[in-house]
Amino acid sequence: MECLKWSQANEEASNNNLNYDTSNFLDADGWTGSNLSWTLDRNKHYYDSKAIHLKQIKMQVVKDSNTAHQLFQQGNLDNA
C-alpha cells in the first residue's frame, strides 16, 4: 500500500471529487470545551480510514490527583 503525504491525499481527494477528510483520523464527540468527559471516535471520512484500527477513545478529566490515582489503581483509568 502506498503511503500518501497529507498534501498528496488532499489533492487526490479534491481532483477526484471525493469526500475525504485528510486532517484528523479521530473526531471529538461530546466535547464542549469545558466538560469533564468526551469520546474520540474514528473518523469514517478520513482518507485512509482502513488503516486506523482504533474505534474509540474515552477521555475523562479527574481534577483531584488522589482520586485519579485511586481510579488508576482500581483499573478504572488507563492513564493518570
Coordinates of all heavy atoms in Angstrom, one line a residue:
M1 N 0.8 -1.2 0.0 CA 0.0 0.0 0.0 C 0.9 1.2 0.0 O 1.8 1.4 0.8 CB -0.9 0.0 1.2 CG -1.7 1.2 1.4 SD -2.8 1.0 2.8 CE -4.0 2.3 2.4
E2 N 0.6 2.2 -0.9 CA 1.3 3.4 -1.0 C 0.9 4.4 0.2 O -0.3 4.5 0.5 CB 1.0 4.0 -2.3 CG 1.8 5.3 -2.5 CD 1.5 6.0 -3.9 OE1 0.7 5.4 -4.7 OE2 1.9 7.1 -4.1
C3 N 1.9 5.0 0.8 CA 1.6 5.9 1.8 C 1.7 7.3 1.2 O 2.7 7.7 0.6 CB 2.7 5.8 2.9 SG 2.4 6.9 4.3
L4 N 0.6 8.1 1.3 CA 0.5 9.4 0.8 C 0.7 10.4 1.8 O 0.4 10.3 3.0 CB -1.0 9.7 0.2 CG -1.4 8.8 -0.9 CD1 -2.9 9.1 -1.3 CD2 -0.5 9.0 -2.2
K5 N 1.4 11.5 1.4 CA 1.6 12.6 2.3 C 0.2 13.4 2.4 O -0.6 13.2 1.5 CB 2.6 13.6 1.8 CG 4.0 13.0 1.8 CD 5.0 14.0 1.4 CE 6.4 13.4 1.4 NZ 7.4 14.3 0.8
W6 N 0.1 14.2 3.4 CA -1.2 14.9 3.6 C -1.5 15.7 2.4 O -2.7 15.7 1.9 CB -1.0 15.8 4.9 CG -2.3 16.6 5.1 CD1 -3.4 16.2 5.8 CD2 -2.5 17.9 4.8 NE1 -4.3 17.2 5.9 CE2 -3.8 18.3 5.2 CE3 -1.8 18.9 4.0 CZ2 -4.4 19.5 5.0 CZ3 -2.4 20.1 3.8 CH2 -3.6 20.4 4.3
S7 N -0.6 16.4 1.9 CA -0.9 17.3 0.7 C -1.3 16.5 -0.5 O -2.1 16.9 -1.3 CB 0.3 18.2 0.4 OG 1.5 17.4 0.2
Q8 N -0.6 15.3 -0.7 CA -1.0 14.5 -1.8 C -2.4 13.9 -1.7 O -3.1 13.9 -2.7 CB 0.0 13.3 -1.9 CG 1.4 13.7 -2.3 CD 2.3 12.5 -2.2 OE1 2.3 11.8 -1.2 NE2 3.2 12.3 -3.2
A9 N -2.7 13.5 -0.5 CA -4.1 12.9 -0.3 C -5.1 14.0 -0.5 O -6.2 13.7 -1.0 CB -4.1 12.3 1.1
N10 N -4.9 15.2 0.0 CA -5.8 16.3 -0.1 C -6.0 16.6 -1.6 O -7.1 16.8 -2.0 CB -5.2 17.5 0.6 CG -6.3 18.2 1.5 OD1 -7.4 17.7 1.6 ND2 -5.9 19.3 2.1
E11 N -4.9 16.7 -2.4 CA -5.0 17.0 -3.8 C -5.8 15.9 -4.5 O -6.6 16.1 -5.4 CB -3.6 17.1 -4.4 CG -3.6 17.5 -5.8 CD -2.2 17.8 -6.3 OE1 -1.3 18.0 -5.5 OE2 -2.0 17.7 -7.6
E12 N -5.5 14.6 -4.2 CA -6.1 13.5 -4.8 C -7.6 13.5 -4.6 O -8.4 13.3 -5.5 CB -5.5 12.2 -4.3 CG -6.1 10.9 -5.0 CD -5.5 9.6 -4.4 OE1 -4.3 9.5 -4.5 OE2 -6.3 8.8 -4.0
A13 N -8.0 13.7 -3.3 CA -9.4 13.8 -3.0 C -10.1 14.9 -3.7 O -11.2 14.8 -4.2 CB -9.6 14.0 -1.5
S14 N -9.4 16.1 -3.8 CA -10.0 17.2 -4.5 C -10.2 17.0 -6.0 O -11.2 17.3 -6.6 CB -9.1 18.4 -4.3 OG -9.6 19.5 -5.0
N15 N -9.1 16.4 -6.6 CA -9.2 16.1 -8.0 C -10.2 15.1 -8.4 O -10.7 15.1 -9.5 CB -7.8 15.6 -8.5 CG -6.7 16.7 -8.5 OD1 -7.1 17.9 -8.4 ND2 -5.5 16.3 -8.5
N16 N -10.5 14.2 -7.5 CA -11.5 13.1 -7.8 C -12.8 13.4 -7.2 O -13.7 12.5 -7.1 CB -10.9 11.8 -7.3 CG -9.7 11.4 -8.1 OD1 -9.7 11.4 -9.4 ND2 -8.6 11.0 -7.4
N17 N -13.1 14.6 -6.7 CA -14.3 14.9 -6.0 C -14.7 13.9 -5.0 O -15.9 13.5 -4.9 CB -15.5 15.1 -7.1 CG -15.2 16.2 -8.0 OD1 -14.7 17.3 -7.6 ND2 -15.5 16.0 -9.3
L18 N -13.8 13.5 -4.2 CA -14.0 12.6 -3.1 C -14.3 13.3 -1.8 O -13.7 14.4 -1.5 CB -12.8 11.7 -2.9 CG -12.5 10.8 -4.1 CD1 -11.2 10.0 -3.9 CD2 -13.6 9.9 -4.5
N19 N -15.1 12.8 -1.0 CA -15.5 13.4 0.3 C -14.6 12.8 1.4 O -15.0 12.0 2.2 CB -16.9 13.2 0.7 CG -17.4 13.9 1.9 OD1 -16.7 14.8 2.3 ND2 -18.4 13.4 2.5
Y20 N -13.3 13.1 1.3 CA -12.3 12.6 2.3 C -11.9 13.8 3.2 O -11.8 14.9 2.9 CB -11.0 12.1 1.6 CG -11.2 10.8 0.9 CD1 -10.3 10.5 -0.1 CD2 -12.2 9.9 1.3 CE1 -10.4 9.2 -0.7 CE2 -12.3 8.7 0.6 CZ -11.4 8.4 -0.4 OH -11.5 7.2 -1.0
D21 N -11.6 13.4 4.4 CA -11.0 14.3 5.4 C -9.6 13.9 5.6 O -9.4 12.8 6.1 CB -11.9 14.2 6.7 CG -11.3 15.2 7.8 OD1 -10.3 15.9 7.5 OD2 -12.0 15.3 8.8
T22 N -8.7 14.7 5.3 CA -7.3 14.3 5.4 C -6.6 15.0 6.7 O -5.4 14.8 6.9 CB -6.5 14.8 4.2 OG1 -6.6 16.2 4.1 CG2 -6.9 14.1 3.0
S23 N -7.4 15.6 7.5 CA -6.8 16.3 8.6 C -6.7 15.5 9.9 O -5.7 15.5 10.5 CB -7.6 17.6 8.9 OG -9.0 17.3 9.2
N24 N -7.8 14.9 10.3 CA -7.8 14.1 11.6 C -8.4 12.7 11.4 O -9.4 12.6 10.8 CB -8.6 14.9 12.6 CG -8.1 16.2 13.0 OD1 -6.9 16.3 13.3 ND2 -8.9 17.3 12.9
F25 N -7.7 11.8 12.0 CA -8.3 10.4 11.9 C -9.2 10.1 13.1 O -9.9 9.1 13.1 CB -7.2 9.4 11.9 CG -6.3 9.3 13.1 CD1 -6.6 8.4 14.1 CD2 -5.1 10.0 13.2 CE1 -5.8 8.3 15.2 CE2 -4.3 10.0 14.3 CZ -4.7 9.1 15.3
L26 N -9.3 11.1 14.0 CA -10.3 11.0 15.1 C -11.2 12.2 15.2 O -10.7 13.3 14.9 CB -9.6 10.8 16.4 CG -8.7 9.6 16.7 CD1 -7.9 9.7 17.9 CD2 -9.6 8.3 16.7
D27 N -12.5 12.0 15.5 CA -13.4 13.1 15.7 C -13.8 13.2 17.2 O -14.0 12.1 17.8 CB -14.7 12.8 14.9 CG -14.6 13.1 13.4 OD1 -13.8 14.0 13.1 OD2 -15.3 12.4 12.7
A28 N -13.8 14.4 17.7 CA -14.2 14.5 19.1 C -15.7 14.5 19.2 O -16.4 15.3 18.4 CB -13.7 15.8 19.7
D29 N -16.3 13.7 20.0 CA -17.8 13.6 20.2 C -18.1 14.0 21.6 O -17.6 13.4 22.5 CB -18.2 12.2 19.9 CG -19.7 12.1 19.9 OD1 -20.4 13.0 19.6 OD2 -20.2 10.9 20.2
G30 N -18.9 15.0 21.8 CA -19.4 15.4 23.1 C -18.5 16.4 23.7 O -18.6 16.8 24.9
W31 N -17.5 16.9 23.0 CA -16.6 17.9 23.5 C -17.2 19.3 23.5 O -17.6 19.8 22.4 CB -15.2 17.9 22.8 CG -14.3 19.0 23.1 CD1 -14.0 20.1 22.4 CD2 -13.6 19.2 24.4 NE1 -13.1 20.9 23.0 CE2 -12.9 20.4 24.3 CE3 -13.6 18.5 25.6 CZ2 -12.1 20.9 25.3 CZ3 -12.8 19.0 26.6 CH2 -12.1 20.2 26.5
T32 N -17.3 20.0 24.6 CA -17.9 21.4 24.6 C -16.8 22.4 25.0 O -17.1 23.6 24.9 CB -19.0 21.4 25.7 OG1 -18.5 21.2 27.0 CG2 -20.1 20.4 25.4
G33 N -15.7 22.0 25.4 CA -14.6 22.9 25.8 C -14.5 23.0 27.3 O -13.4 23.5 27.8
S34 N -15.5 22.6 28.0 CA -15.4 22.7 29.5 C -15.9 21.4 30.2 O -15.8 21.3 31.4 CB -16.1 23.9 30.0 OG -17.5 23.8 29.6
N35 N -16.4 20.4 29.4 CA -16.9 19.2 30.1 C -15.8 18.3 30.5 O -14.6 18.5 30.1 CB -17.9 18.5 29.2 CG -17.3 18.2 27.8 OD1 -16.5 19.0 27.3 ND2 -17.7 17.1 27.2
L36 N -16.1 17.4 31.4 CA -15.1 16.5 32.0 C -14.9 15.2 31.3 O -14.1 14.4 31.7 CB -15.3 16.4 33.5 CG -15.3 17.7 34.3 CD1 -15.6 17.4 35.8 CD2 -14.0 18.4 34.2
S37 N -15.8 14.9 30.3 CA -15.6 13.6 29.6 C -16.1 13.8 28.2 O -17.0 14.6 27.9 CB -16.4 12.5 30.3 OG -17.8 12.7 30.3
W38 N -15.5 13.0 27.3 CA -15.9 13.0 25.9 C -15.2 11.8 25.2 O -14.5 11.1 25.8 CB -15.5 14.3 25.2 CG -14.0 14.6 25.1 CD1 -13.2 14.2 24.1 CD2 -13.1 15.1 26.1 NE1 -11.9 14.6 24.4 CE2 -11.8 15.1 25.6 CE3 -13.3 15.6 27.4 CZ2 -10.7 15.6 26.4 CZ3 -12.3 16.1 28.1 CH2 -11.0 16.0 27.6
T39 N -15.6 11.6 24.0 CA -15.0 10.4 23.3 C -14.3 10.9 22.0 O -14.7 11.9 21.4 CB -16.0 9.4 22.9 OG1 -17.0 9.9 22.1 CG2 -16.7 8.7 24.1
L40 N -13.3 10.2 21.6 CA -12.7 10.4 20.3 C -13.0 9.2 19.5 O -12.7 8.1 19.8 CB -11.2 10.6 20.4 CG -10.7 11.7 21.3 CD1 -9.2 11.7 21.5 CD2 -11.1 13.1 20.6
D41 N -13.8 9.4 18.4 CA -14.3 8.3 17.5 C -13.5 8.3 16.2 O -13.1 9.4 15.7 CB -15.8 8.5 17.2 CG -16.6 8.4 18.5 OD1 -16.4 7.5 19.3 OD2 -17.5 9.3 18.6
R42 N -13.3 7.2 15.7 CA -12.6 7.0 14.4 C -13.4 7.8 13.3 O -14.6 7.7 13.2 CB -12.5 5.6 13.9 CG -11.8 5.4 12.6 CD -11.5 4.0 12.3 NE -12.8 3.2 12.3 CZ -12.8 1.9 12.2 NH1 -11.7 1.2 12.1 NH2 -14.0 1.3 12.2
N43 N -12.7 8.7 12.6 CA -13.3 9.5 11.5 C -13.5 8.6 10.3 O -12.6 8.2 9.6 CB -12.4 10.7 11.2 CG -12.9 11.6 10.1 OD1 -13.9 11.3 9.5 ND2 -12.3 12.7 9.9
K44 N -14.8 8.3 10.0 CA -15.1 7.4 8.8 C -14.7 8.1 7.5 O -14.6 7.4 6.5 CB -16.5 7.0 8.9 CG -16.9 6.2 10.1 CD -18.4 5.9 10.2 CE -18.6 5.2 11.5 NZ -20.0 5.3 11.9
H45 N -14.6 9.4 7.5 CA -14.3 10.1 6.2 C -12.8 10.4 6.1 O -12.4 11.0 5.1 CB -15.0 11.4 6.2 CG -16.5 11.2 6.2 ND1 -17.2 10.7 5.2 CD2 -17.4 11.4 7.2 CE1 -18.5 10.6 5.5 NE2 -18.6 11.0 6.8
Y46 N -12.0 9.9 7.0 CA -10.5 10.1 6.9 C -10.0 9.3 5.6 O -10.5 8.2 5.4 CB -9.8 9.5 8.1 CG -8.3 9.7 8.2 CD1 -7.8 11.0 8.2 CD2 -7.5 8.6 8.2 CE1 -6.4 11.1 8.3 CE2 -6.1 8.8 8.2 CZ -5.6 10.0 8.3 OH -4.2 10.2 8.3
Y47 N -9.1 9.9 4.9 CA -8.8 9.3 3.6 C -8.2 7.9 3.7 O -8.3 7.1 2.8 CB -7.8 10.2 2.9 CG -6.3 10.1 3.3 CD1 -5.4 9.3 2.7 CD2 -5.9 10.8 4.5 CE1 -4.1 9.2 3.1 CE2 -4.6 10.6 4.9 CZ -3.7 9.9 4.2 OH -2.4 9.8 4.6
D48 N -7.6 7.5 4.8 CA -7.0 6.2 4.9 C -7.6 5.5 6.2 O -6.9 4.9 7.0 CB -5.5 6.3 5.1 CG -4.8 5.0 4.8 OD1 -5.4 4.1 4.3 OD2 -3.6 4.9 5.1
S49 N -8.9 5.6 6.3 CA -9.6 5.1 7.5 C -9.4 3.6 7.7 O -9.5 3.1 8.8 CB -11.1 5.4 7.5 OG -11.7 4.8 6.4
K50 N -9.2 2.8 6.7 CA -9.0 1.4 6.8 C -7.7 1.1 7.6 O -7.6 0.0 8.1 CB -9.0 0.7 5.5 CG -10.4 0.7 4.8 CD -10.3 0.1 3.5 CE -11.7 0.2 2.8 NZ -11.8 -0.4 1.5
A51 N -6.8 2.0 7.6 CA -5.5 1.8 8.3 C -5.6 2.1 9.7 O -4.7 1.8 10.5 CB -4.4 2.7 7.6
I52 N -6.7 2.7 10.2 CA -6.9 3.1 11.6 C -7.7 2.0 12.2 O -8.8 1.7 11.9 CB -7.7 4.4 11.7 CG1 -7.0 5.5 10.9 CG2 -7.8 4.8 13.2 CD1 -5.6 5.8 11.2
H53 N -7.0 1.3 13.2 CA -7.7 0.1 13.8 C -8.3 0.5 15.1 O -9.1 -0.3 15.7 CB -6.6 -1.0 14.1 CG -6.0 -1.4 12.8 ND1 -6.7 -2.2 11.9 CD2 -4.8 -1.2 12.3 CE1 -5.9 -2.4 10.8 NE2 -4.7 -1.8 11.1
L54 N -8.1 1.7 15.6 CA -8.7 2.2 16.8 C -10.2 2.6 16.5 O -10.5 3.3 15.5 CB -8.0 3.5 17.2 CG -7.9 3.9 18.6 CD1 -7.2 2.9 19.4 CD2 -7.1 5.2 18.7
K55 N -11.1 2.2 17.3 CA -12.5 2.6 17.1 C -12.9 3.8 18.0 O -13.6 4.7 17.5 CB -13.4 1.4 17.4 CG -13.3 0.3 16.4 CD -14.3 -0.8 16.6 CE -14.1 -1.9 15.6 NZ -14.9 -3.0 15.8
Q56 N -12.4 3.8 19.2 CA -12.9 4.9 20.1 C -11.9 5.0 21.3 O -11.4 4.0 21.8 CB -14.3 4.6 20.6 CG -14.9 5.7 21.5 CD -16.3 5.3 21.9 OE1 -16.4 4.4 22.8 NE2 -17.3 6.0 21.4
I57 N -11.8 6.3 21.7 CA -11.0 6.5 23.0 C -11.9 7.3 23.9 O -12.5 8.3 23.4 CB -9.8 7.4 22.7 CG1 -8.8 6.6 21.7 CG2 -9.0 7.7 24.0 CD1 -7.6 7.5 21.3
K58 N -12.1 6.9 25.1 CA -12.9 7.6 26.1 C -12.0 8.5 26.9 O -11.1 8.0 27.5 CB -13.7 6.6 26.9 CG -14.8 5.9 26.1 CD -15.5 4.9 27.0 CE -16.5 4.1 26.2 NZ -17.3 3.2 27.0
M59 N -12.3 9.8 26.9 CA -11.5 10.7 27.7 C -12.2 11.1 28.9 O -13.5 11.3 28.9 CB -11.2 11.9 26.8 CG -10.5 11.6 25.5 SD -8.9 10.9 25.6 CE -8.0 12.3 26.2
Q60 N -11.5 11.3 30.0 CA -12.1 11.7 31.3 C -11.1 12.6 32.0 O -10.0 12.2 32.2 CB -12.5 10.5 32.1 CG -13.1 10.8 33.5 CD -13.4 9.6 34.3 OE1 -13.3 8.5 33.8 NE2 -13.8 9.8 35.5
V61 N -11.6 13.7 32.5 CA -10.8 14.6 33.3 C -11.1 14.3 34.8 O -12.3 14.4 35.2 CB -11.0 16.1 33.0 CG1 -10.2 17.0 33.9 CG2 -10.7 16.4 31.5
V62 N -10.1 14.0 35.6 CA -10.3 13.8 37.0 C -9.4 14.9 37.7 O -8.2 14.9 37.6 CB -9.8 12.4 37.5 CG1 -10.0 12.3 39.0 CG2 -10.6 11.4 36.7
K63 N -10.1 15.9 38.3 CA -9.4 17.1 38.8 C -8.6 16.8 40.0 O -7.5 17.4 40.2 CB -10.5 18.2 39.1 CG -11.1 18.7 37.9 CD -12.0 19.9 38.3 CE -12.6 20.5 37.0 NZ -13.4 21.7 37.3
D64 N -9.0 15.8 40.9 CA -8.2 15.5 42.1 C -7.2 14.4 41.8 O -7.6 13.3 41.4 CB -9.2 15.1 43.2 CG -8.5 14.8 44.5 OD1 -8.0 15.7 45.1 OD2 -8.5 13.6 44.8
S65 N -6.0 14.7 42.1 CA -4.9 13.7 41.8 C -5.0 12.4 42.6 O -4.7 11.3 42.1 CB -3.5 14.3 41.9 OG -3.4 14.8 43.3
N66 N -5.5 12.5 43.8 CA -5.7 11.3 44.7 C -6.8 10.5 44.1 O -6.6 9.2 44.1 CB -6.0 11.7 46.1 CG -4.8 12.3 46.8 OD1 -3.7 11.9 46.6 ND2 -5.1 13.3 47.7
T67 N -7.9 11.1 43.7 CA -8.9 10.3 43.0 C -8.5 9.6 41.8 O -8.7 8.5 41.5 CB -10.2 11.2 42.7 OG1 -10.6 11.8 44.0 CG2 -11.3 10.4 42.1
A68 N -7.7 10.4 41.0 CA -7.2 9.8 39.7 C -6.3 8.6 40.0 O -6.3 7.6 39.3 CB -6.4 10.9 38.9
H69 N -5.4 8.8 41.0 CA -4.5 7.7 41.4 C -5.3 6.4 41.8 O -5.0 5.3 41.4 CB -3.6 8.1 42.5 CG -2.6 7.1 42.9 ND1 -1.6 6.6 42.2 CD2 -2.6 6.3 44.1 CE1 -0.9 5.7 42.8 NE2 -1.5 5.5 43.9
Q70 N -6.4 6.6 42.6 CA -7.2 5.5 43.1 C -7.9 4.8 41.9 O -7.9 3.6 41.8 CB -8.3 6.0 44.1 CG -7.8 6.1 45.5 CD -9.0 6.5 46.4 OE1 -9.9 7.2 46.0 NE2 -8.9 6.1 47.6
L71 N -8.5 5.6 41.0 CA -9.1 5.1 39.8 C -8.2 4.3 39.0 O -8.5 3.2 38.4 CB -9.8 6.2 39.0 CG -11.0 6.9 39.6 CD1 -11.4 8.1 38.9 CD2 -12.2 5.9 39.7
F72 N -7.0 4.8 38.8 CA -5.9 4.1 38.1 C -5.6 2.8 38.8 O -5.5 1.7 38.1 CB -4.7 5.0 37.9 CG -3.6 4.3 37.2 CD1 -3.6 4.1 35.8 CD2 -2.5 3.9 37.9 CE1 -2.6 3.5 35.1 CE2 -1.4 3.2 37.2 CZ -1.5 3.0 35.8
Q73 N -5.4 2.8 40.1 CA -5.0 1.6 40.8 C -6.1 0.5 40.7 O -5.8 -0.7 40.7 CB -4.8 1.9 42.3 CG -3.5 2.7 42.5 CD -2.2 1.9 42.3 OE1 -2.2 0.7 42.4 NE2 -1.2 2.6 41.9
Q74 N -7.4 1.0 40.7 CA -8.5 0.1 40.6 C -8.8 -0.4 39.2 O -9.6 -1.3 39.0 CB -9.8 0.8 41.1 CG -9.7 1.1 42.5 CD -10.9 2.1 42.9 OE1 -11.6 2.6 42.1 NE2 -11.0 2.4 44.2
G75 N -8.0 0.1 38.2 CA -8.2 -0.3 36.8 C -9.3 0.4 36.1 O -9.7 0.0 35.0
N76 N -9.8 1.5 36.7 CA -10.8 2.3 36.0 C -10.3 3.4 35.1 O -11.1 4.0 34.4 CB -11.7 2.9 37.1 CG -12.5 1.9 37.9 OD1 -13.0 0.9 37.3 ND2 -12.6 2.0 39.2
L77 N -9.0 3.6 35.1 CA -8.3 4.6 34.2 C -7.1 3.9 33.6 O -6.4 3.1 34.3 CB -7.9 5.8 34.9 CG -8.9 6.8 35.5 CD1 -8.2 7.9 36.2 CD2 -9.8 7.3 34.4
D78 N -6.9 4.1 32.3 CA -5.7 3.6 31.7 C -4.4 4.4 31.9 O -3.3 3.9 31.8 CB -5.9 3.4 30.2 CG -6.9 2.4 29.8 OD1 -7.0 1.4 30.6 OD2 -7.6 2.6 28.9
N79 N -4.6 5.7 32.3 CA -3.5 6.6 32.5 C -4.0 7.6 33.5 O -5.1 8.0 33.5 CB -3.1 7.2 31.1 CG -1.8 7.9 31.2 OD1 -1.2 8.0 32.3 ND2 -1.4 8.5 30.1
A80 N -3.1 8.1 34.3 CA -3.4 9.1 35.3 C -2.2 10.1 35.4 O -1.1 9.7 35.2 CB -3.8 8.5 36.6

